[in-house]
């Protein structure tokens, strides 16, 4: 083996060893320089983030902007410190000078780097004699973390506690959903209209639970509840009216009926059919076709049995609507019963039980003619009440007034008309006198 070749291999290995040690030394030094400039940025950013958190919590706003801003400031600060402090960083030559001074090599490393002389032989232990002061590094990081965390927990005076998420939707929504299920099971209303109504209800339910009881959400739910209530009530009244007309048609098949009564039945049935077909909750199409066959003037299309079956279906539909609305009808305080209430023992002092609340069955006068009601006694008339109506002609002055100059009047007035008088209370007179002389 050539001695020069062996010496060259040994020198290359030594060069690699010392340059690797110099790079590690430079890396430790440069990291310390960068941390010394970046840690104050971390601490100041934490102070700003804590202030932002307290401000947003006081106004009950989202903290997302604080977290995003904090991350952005830390990244930008890290890059800025890296660029600003680049002059203080060690290069390879600086690392070799430091090793020469520590190991007392008399500048042999820097000379070998310059090409003068050979690289010294590697040594077993090479230390840069720098030690990390972790107390100076960690206290700033810990202080920043504690400061931000405390800002999220510290109680704020006057800040309302965050209400829990509601578990149950408003009662109006639940009632509408119950009505939809009832009408669907009874097959009273067209399925498409029920699905449309369910879609409106689902649109309210898809909101965040925190928004269920907001003013706008409650108002929308109450509006949907009121419209559905009115639609079910109208359908129930029309179904009951059609059932009554079916009863009359059944009775007319056994005994004769006058043309006037047939005309009244026809008008009532036509109105009920039109309302049930064009309402917000239209009647089931199959039942509507059966109703359209009820021709009061010609009873041949349907027999008495078919009419009786149709009447039963109409009464079932009306009962389903009543089941949705309950016993009351739109704000009634109590329901009148057709029959006397049984008297009880009463409370202290007797009394014989509650007073009877009875309602007589309505009387069918078999007429559609309306009569006017008049009363000449106006002693009990209320303010604003119409006492009488009369027709007449306006009194038109045919003589044109004389032309006058602007700002002048044609008639200066007579007597008390020439002076404007006003009745004032003593307090009002004092107020006027205070501002006008």
């Amino acid at each position: 083996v050539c001695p020069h070749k062996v010496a060259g291999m040994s020198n290359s290995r030594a060069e690699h060893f010392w340059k690797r040690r110099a790079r590690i030394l430079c890396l430790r030094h440069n990291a310390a320089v960068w941390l010394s400039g970046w840690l104050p940025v971390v601490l100041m950013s934490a102070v700003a983030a804590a202030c932002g958190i307290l401000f947003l919590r006081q106004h009950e706003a989202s903290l997302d902007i604080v977290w995003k801003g904090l991350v952005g400031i830390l990244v930008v600060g890290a890059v800025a410190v890296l660029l600003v402090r680049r002059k203080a960083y060690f290069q390879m030559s600086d690392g070799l000078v430091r090793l020469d001074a520590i190991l007392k090599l008399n500048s042999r490393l820097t000379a070998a780097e310059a090409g003068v002389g050979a690289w010294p032989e590697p040594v077993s232990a090479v230390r840069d004699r720098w030690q990390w002061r972790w107390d100076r590094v960690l206290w700033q990081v810990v202080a920043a973390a504690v400061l931000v965390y405390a800002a999220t927990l510290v109680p704020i005076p006057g800040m309302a506690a965050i209400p829990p998420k509601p578990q149950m939707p408003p009662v109006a929504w639940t009632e509408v959903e119950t009505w939809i299920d009832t009408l669907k099971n009874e097959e009273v209303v067209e399925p498409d209209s029920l699905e449309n109504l369910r879609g409106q209800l689902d649109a309210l339910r898809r909101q965040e639970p925190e928004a269920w009881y907001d003013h706008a959400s409650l108002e929308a739910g109450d509006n949907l509840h009121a419209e559905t209530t009115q639609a079910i009530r109208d359908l129930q009244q029309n179904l009951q009216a059609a059932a009554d007309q079916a009863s009359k048609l059944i009775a007319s098949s056994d005994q004769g009926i006058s043309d006037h009564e047939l005309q009244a039945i026809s008008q009532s049935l036509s109105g009920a059919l039109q309302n049930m077909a064009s309402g917000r909750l239209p009647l089931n199409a199959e039942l509507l076709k059966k109703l359209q066959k009820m021709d009061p003037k010609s009873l041949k299309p349907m027999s008495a049995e078919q009419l009786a079956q149709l009447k039963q279906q109409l009464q079932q539909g009306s009962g389903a609507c009543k089941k949705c609305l309950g016993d009351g009808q739109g704000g009634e305080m109590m329901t009148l019963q057709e029959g006397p209430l049984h008297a009880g023992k009463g409370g202290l002092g007797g009394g014989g039980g509650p007073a009877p609340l009875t309602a007589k069955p309505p009387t069918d006068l078999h007429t559609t003619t309306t009569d006017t009601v008049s009363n000449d006694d106006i002693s009990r008339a209320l303010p604003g009440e119409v006492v009488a109506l009369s027709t007449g002609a306006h009194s038109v002055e045919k003589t044109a007034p004389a032309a006058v100059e602007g700002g002048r009047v044609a008639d200066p007035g007579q007597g008390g008309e020439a002076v404007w008088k006003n009745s004032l209370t003593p307090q009002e007179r004092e107020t006027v006198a205070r501002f006008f002389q």
Side-chain angles (χ1 to χ4, degrees), residues 18-19 21-23 25-26 30 89-101 107-114 119:
W18 290 112
K19 285 186 176 181
R21 295 299 180 180
R23 290 191 189 97
L25 186 146
C26 292
N30 296 342
Y89 297 154
F90 271 12
Q91 304 298 328
M92 177 65 68
S93 59
D94 300 322
L96 294 175
V97 171
R98 175 68 179 177
L99 290 176
D100 274 333
S107 302
R108 292 177 61 186
L109 296 177
T110 55
E113 175 68 12
W119 290 91

Side-chain angles (χ1 to χ4, degrees), residues 398-415:
K398 298 181 179 180
T399 304
V404 295
E405 298 178 0
R408 297 182 57 189
V409 295
D411 188 359
Q414 298 177 358

Side-chain angles (χ1 to χ4, degrees), residues 120-402:
E121 289 296 327
V123 295
S124 58
V126 178
R127 296 180 180 179
D128 53 14
R129 297 183 182 179
W130 284 334
Q131 293 183 356
W132 287 102
R133 299 291 300 273
W134 293 111
D135 54 342
R136 295 186 178 183
V137 175
L138 295 180
W139 81 265
Q140 300 184 66
V141 177
V142 173
V146 170
L147 191 62
V148 174
Y149 183 70
T152 60
L153 299 180
V154 63
I156 298 178
M159 181 179 177
I162 299 177
K165 294 183 178 180
Q167 302 295 329
M168 298 296 295
V171 179
W173 301 5
T174 306
E175 287 187 355
V176 173
E177 186 177 11
T178 304
W179 296 345
I180 294 174
D181 295 337
T182 301
L183 296 176
K184 184 178 181 179
N185 295 334
E186 297 291 341
E187 298 181 354
V188 179
V189 182
E190 271 294 293
D192 294 341
S193 61
L194 290 178
E195 291 301 325
N196 184 22
L197 184 60
R198 190 184 296 275
Q200 298 180 27
L201 184 61
D202 292 340
L204 295 175
R205 286 180 175 273
R206 280 194 295 269
Q207 301 179 104
E208 293 294 333
E210 294 85 350
W212 283 354
Y213 290 88
D214 290 346
H215 176 73
S217 181
L218 290 177
E219 186 176 2
D222 292 342
N223 186 30
L224 181 63
H225 183 274
E227 292 180 355
T228 307
T229 302
Q230 186 61 40
I232 296 175
R233 182 176 294 113
D234 295 341
L235 180 61
Q236 187 271 330
Q237 294 175 354
N238 291 318
L239 286 171
Q240 188 60 43
D244 295 340
Q245 304 309 319
S247 300
K248 294 179 182 179
L249 290 177
I250 294 173
S252 65
S253 62
D254 299 333
Q255 52 186 342
I257 188 171
S258 62
D259 294 339
H260 181 73
E261 292 176 343
L262 282 176
Q263 183 179 3
I265 294 175
S266 178
Q267 292 178 356
S268 177
L269 184 59
S270 298
L273 287 176
Q274 184 178 1
N275 293 334
M276 287 187 289
S278 60
R280 178 179 173 85
L281 294 177
L283 187 63
N284 186 281
E286 183 179 355
L287 186 57
L288 188 62
K289 289 181 180 179
K290 293 181 181 180
L291 286 175
Q292 291 174 349
K293 295 180 181 179
M294 292 174 56
D295 188 2
K297 298 181 180 179
S298 177
L299 301 178
K300 295 180 180 180
M302 299 186 68
S303 61
E305 296 180 357
Q306 293 176 335
L307 287 174
Q309 184 179 4
L310 179 60
K311 174 186 174 182
Q312 183 179 3
Q313 293 180 353
L314 293 173
Q315 289 178 344
Q316 289 178 355
S318 177
C321 295
K322 286 184 178 180
K323 183 179 179 181
C324 294
L325 299 177
D327 295 333
Q329 288 289 335
E332 292 181 355
M333 296 300 295
M334 60 184 69
T335 304
L336 297 180
Q337 300 183 0
E338 296 184 359
L341 297 177
H342 298 287
K345 297 181 180 180
L348 296 177
L357 298 176
T358 59
K360 295 182 179 179
T363 303
D364 189 1
L365 301 178
H366 303 288
T367 180
T368 58
T369 305
T370 57
D371 297 330
T372 59
V373 179
S374 60
N375 184 11
D376 297 333
D377 184 11
I378 62 174
S379 60
R380 298 181 180 273
L382 299 176
E385 186 177 359
V386 179
V387 177
L389 298 175
S390 61
T391 59
H394 292 286
S395 177
V396 180
E397 185 178 357
K398 298 181 179 180
T399 304

